[in-house]
Amino acid sequence: MSLISVLVPGALSMSASALAPALLEALKALLGNRVSTSESDRAQHGRDESSHTPQLPDAVCRPESTEEVSAIVKLCAINKTPIVAYGAGSSLEGALIPLQGGISIDLTGMNQILSVRPEDLDATVQAGVTRKQLNAHLRDTGLFFPIDPGADATIGGMSATRASGTNAVRYGTMRENVVNLTVVLADGRIIRTRSRAKKSSAGYDLTGIFVGSEGTLGIITEITVRLYGIPEVMAAAICAFPTVEAAIDTVIQTIQMGLPISRMELLDDRAIEAVNNYSKLDLPVAPTLFFEFAGSQSSVEEQAAIVEDLARGEGASSWRWSTDADERGKLWQARHDIHWALRAIRPGTRGWGTDVCVPISALAEVIRETRKHCAQAPFFTAMVGHVGDGNFHLSMQLDRDDPAEFELASAINDRMVHLALKLGGTCTGEHGVGIGKMKFMRAEHGDAIDVMHLIKDALDPDGIFNPGKVLPPKAA
C-alpha cells in the first residue's frame, strides 16, 4: 500500500456488508436492532480524527454488557471475522479504522458507573463511560479522575491507548491509574487482570499488557481506576518567552526543584496565534508556558512565586496568574480547543497530528530541529507539548487534495521521530501506534518486537482483533 493511499483522505466505499449471512443473522438474533449495516453507521465507524484513509466496517454492533461482547467475539471467532473496538472516535493515528472490514464493536452504550469506593480511592466503570461523565458523577464526593487527554474520550479507549494529557506531570498516565481490567479474549473468555489491592506480587502484570494494546490483544469492557482528592485551591498561570529553549529551561528547573506542578504546557508562537484567533484571547504571540498549581492557598502562592522567578530568569514576560475558576477554566479550555483552533487557521484542510516523547533534557533539541524542518513548509504548522514529561505534539494543516503536502509532512514526521529515537525517546508519547507509527516500532524496540508478536499470537492466534495495527510484519 502506498504512502499516499494511507494518508490522503479519500472517498469511503459504500459497498454493501460483506459479512457471512449466517454471522449477520446470528448477531441480529443476539442484539436485535443494535446491529446495523446502514451506510451512515458504517461510515461513522470507519474513520477517526486522523488523516488516514477511512475504511468501512461490514457491520456495527452495540453491546450493553461484557457478556454480550463475549457472545459477539465468539461468533466472530468461528468465522475468523475481524473486530475493531470503538469508543469516542478520537484516535489520531488510525487505530479505529477497520482495515479489513469486519465488525466495529461500539462500546459507548456500555456507559454505567458500576461502583465508587471513596474510602479506597477507586471506581469501576464500563468501557463507554467518558472522563467528563465520571467526574460529574464524582462531584459530590470530593474526588476526581485526573487523566485529561483533551477530548472527552471513553475510559475504555483511554485505557486501550494508554492515554495521558495535561495532568500527567503530576498524576501520571493511564498506565499508573488503571487498577484492574475486565477483558474479553479472542475466544470469548472473560478475564479480570488483577485484584483491587494496592500492590500484589502474584503473577504476571496482565493489566500492563492490555493497557496500551489498542484493542489488538483483547476488548476492555470494565475498568477500575484510581481517584484523587480535589485540591483545596487551583491556580493557573501563563507567561511568554523569547525562545522555546528558554521555556524548556524553565520547565527543567521547575522539575529539578521538585515542585508539585499539576500541569506545564508549551505552545509555540504559531499555536498561540491560532488560540488567539479561535478563543478570542490576546496573548503575546511568542512561545508560551501554561501552568497549573494545586494545594493549599499558601502552597499555591509559594509555588507560583518560585516558578515566576525561574521564568523571569529565563527572560519571560507578561506573567499572569489567577485562582479564579472561570478565568482558569477559560484558559484551559483554550488549550484543549487547540485541535479545532489549528484547523480554523486553514479552513477546509485536514489536520495531521503527531507526537513524540523524549527525556526532558533532549526536548529543546527535538523541537528546535523540527521547527527548522517546518519553516519552509507551504502549510501551517504549530507545536504544543506536555513538556513536564517531555511529550510534544506537531500539527500540520494539509490540503486534502495535494499529495505533495502529505509527502512533505511524512518526511517532517519521519525526521522528528528518528531524532527522538536517537535521543532516547519514543515514537509516540500518547497518541498511540495505530497505523501511523507502526513503521517506527522495530527501530524503537528492536528484537522486543518479536516478543510482542509471540504475545499477540498467543492471545489472538487468528488475528481477529484490530488487524493491521501496532505491530509491523514479522521479520523474515
Side-chain angles (χ1 to χ4, degrees):
M1 183 177 292
S2 71
L3 173 70
I4 297 304
S5 67
V6 171
L7 294 176
V8 178
L12 284 167
S13 169
M14 292 297 180
S15 59
S17 170
L19 286 184
L23 173 59
L24 184 57
E25 183 178 341
L27 290 170
K28 288 183 175 180
L30 174 67
L31 301 175
N33 62 8
R34 289 182 285 125
V35 177
S36 173
T37 57
S38 75
E39 290 183 356
S40 59
D41 266 346
R42 293 165 61 212
Q44 176 190 346
H45 292 80
R47 65 173 75 243
D48 54 21
E49 289 297 324
S50 74
S51 293
H52 299 284
T53 303
Q55 173 66 48
L56 270 66
D58 296 308
V60 177
C61 294
R62 292 182 168 87
E64 295 179 348
S65 68
T66 296
E67 290 71 26
E68 286 188 344
V69 173
S70 173
I72 294 168
V73 171
K74 287 177 180 178
L75 290 171
C76 290
I78 294 171
N79 294 270
K80 295 183 173 53
T81 300
I83 301 171
V84 178
Y86 187 95
S90 55
S91 170
L92 293 172
E93 290 293 354
L96 303 175
I97 298 173
L99 297 177
Q100 298 179 20
I103 300 296
S104 176
I105 296 186
D106 186 327
L107 297 167
T108 56
M110 295 179 60
N111 58 0
Q112 299 301 307
I113 297 171
L114 301 175
S115 59
V116 175
R117 295 167 290 269
E119 64 279 8
D120 291 327
L121 295 176
D122 67 34
T124 301
V125 301
Q126 289 184 312
V129 171
T130 68
R131 64 176 186 85
K132 288 184 179 180
Q133 177 190 351
L134 176 57
N135 279 325
H137 184 86
L138 295 171
R139 188 174 293 128
D140 295 334
T141 68
L143 303 174
F144 81 121
F145 175 66
I147 309 305
D148 180 3
D152 189 21
T154 62
I155 304 296
M158 291 168 64
S159 301
T161 56
R162 202 183 297 127
S164 53
T166 56
N167 278 325
V169 66
R170 177 165 183 164
Y171 295 102
T173 72
M174 288 300 287
R175 181 184 65 184
E176 293 82 25
N177 287 283
V178 172
V179 177
N180 63 37
L181 301 167
T182 298
V183 181
V184 175
L185 301 181
D187 59 4
R189 279 181 297 167
I190 300 169
I191 65 167
R192 189 184 66 184
T193 56
R194 57 158 290 178
S195 70
R196 288 196 304 111
K198 287 293 183 182
K199 61 181 181 179
S200 172
S201 297
Y204 300 137
D205 182 9
L206 294 182
T207 306
I209 289 176
F210 287 103
V211 172
S213 64
E214 300 185 35
T216 62
L217 301 179
I219 297 179
I220 296 169
T221 60
E222 294 178 10
I223 310 97
T224 299
V225 295
R226 301 189 192 283
L227 306 177
Y228 297 81
I230 297 174
E232 175 188 341
V233 175
M234 290 187 284
I238 184 170
C239 60
F241 289 82
T243 64
V244 168
E245 288 81 2
I248 298 301
D249 285 344
T250 300
V251 171
I252 292 172
Q253 293 172 57
T254 300
I255 291 173
Q256 287 176 338
M257 291 191 70
L259 297 175
I261 302 294
S262 293
R263 311 189 205 197
M264 282 192 288
E265 296 290 301
L266 171 68
L267 282 72
D268 74 359
D269 52 340
R270 307 203 81 188
I272 291 294
E273 176 187 346
V275 163
N276 281 344
N277 290 336
Y278 187 82
S279 299
K280 310 306 180 189
L281 300 179
D282 60 352
L283 304 175
V285 180
T288 300
L289 286 178
F290 290 23
F291 299 93
E292 185 168 86
F293 309 96
S296 66
Q297 182 69 39
S298 60
S299 68
V300 164
E301 291 176 356
E302 181 182 13
Q303 292 171 44
I306 293 172
V307 174
E308 181 181 3
D309 285 344
L310 295 175
R312 293 196 182 280
E314 295 296 333
S317 61
S318 65
W319 174 270
R320 294 159 50 184
W321 85 291
S322 176
T323 58
D324 181 77
D326 290 339
E327 188 172 345
R328 186 172 56 85
K330 183 178 180 181
L331 181 67
W332 287 111
Q333 188 60 51
R335 166 62 184 88
H336 286 321
D337 286 342
I338 188 67
H339 178 71
W340 308 110
L342 294 173
R343 283 195 175 185
I345 284 286
R346 195 182 181 196
T349 57
R350 184 72 173 175
W352 183 347
T354 182
D355 80 317
V356 294
C357 188
V358 295
I360 294 175
S361 60
L363 188 59
E365 180 178 352
V366 178
I367 292 178
R368 181 177 62 250
E369 292 303 312
T370 303
R371 282 167 59 90
K372 286 181 183 177
H373 297 150
C374 291
Q376 302 305 316
F379 42 78
F380 186 85
T381 66
M383 290 183 182
V384 300
H386 311 312
V387 287
D389 51 19
N391 181 206
F392 81 92
H393 308 259
L394 170 65
S395 180
M396 300 174 279
Q397 303 305 310
L398 308 176
D399 185 338
R400 294 171 182 267
D401 300 318
D402 189 346
E405 289 199 1
F406 281 84
E407 291 285 6
L408 177 57
S410 179
I412 291 171
N413 181 57
D414 286 0
R415 283 195 292 265
M416 180 182 75
V417 171
H418 286 302
L419 179 58
L421 296 181
K422 178 182 177 182
L423 295 174
T426 175
C427 67
T428 175
E430 62 180 20
H431 286 185
V433 177
I435 304 166
K437 294 295 177 69
M438 193 165 60
K439 64 181 179 179
F440 305 112
M441 288 289 280
R442 192 166 289 277
E444 178 170 341
H445 294 288
D447 289 345
I449 288 293
D450 300 327
V451 178
M452 295 182 196
H453 274 295
L454 291 174
I455 295 171
K456 171 70 171 174
D457 290 345
L459 291 176
D460 182 19
D462 292 320
I464 64 172
F465 281 150
N466 210 3
K469 312 290 176 55
V470 181
L471 296 182
K474 294 178 181 178

